[in-house]
Amino acid sequence: MALTITEECINCDVCEPECPNDAISQGDEIYVIDPNKCTECVGHYDEPQCQQVCPVDCIIPDPAHRETKEQLLEKYKRLMAAKA
């Protein structure tokens, strides 16, 4: 499942550069994650890098975008093919 950033975000800027899929960007008030690009770092790392660096633990699974590890891996493959 894709991740989402809650309103507890303090705009510290540490998560955005950690995302290998460029899924994180500055929103109107807080950072946001594009669910079409978020693979929870599947294909890149063992754990979501944004969650690892977030100082306030405001990055959580997005219940509106439930995906299996297999679906996330397929999304990763599509994203990498599009970059090629």
Side-chain angles (χ1 to χ4, degrees), residues 14-28:
V14 297
C15 61
E16 183 181 20
E18 296 300 320
C19 182
N21 296 324
D22 298 321
I24 301 174
S25 62
Q26 180 64 50
D28 291 337

Side-chain angles (χ1 to χ4, degrees):
M1 110 179 21
L3 300 173
T4 190
I5 299 175
T6 67
E7 292 183 12
E8 285 81 30
C9 176
I10 59 172
N11 290 309
C12 66
D13 303 321
V14 297
C15 61
E16 183 181 20
E18 296 300 320
C19 182
N21 296 324
D22 298 321
I24 301 174
S25 62
Q26 180 64 50
D28 291 337
E29 296 181 26
I30 60 173
Y31 278 86
V32 295
I33 298 177
D34 180 346
N36 296 313
K37 293 182 177 180
C38 179
T39 64
E40 291 187 39
C41 289
V42 169
H44 295 283
Y45 302 102
D46 292 334
E47 297 186 22
Q49 299 300 288
C50 59
Q51 286 181 325
Q52 298 299 308
V53 299
C54 181
V56 292
D57 296 325
C58 67
I59 303 172
I60 61 169
D62 185 347
H65 295 93
R66 297 185 183 275
E67 297 166 291
T68 65
K69 290 286 184 191
E70 292 78 20
Q71 290 171 315
L72 291 170
L73 185 57
E74 287 303 313
K75 187 192 305 184
Y76 160 77
K77 290 176 183 176
R78 284 191 309 273
L79 290 168
M80 293 303 102
K83 284 185 177 182

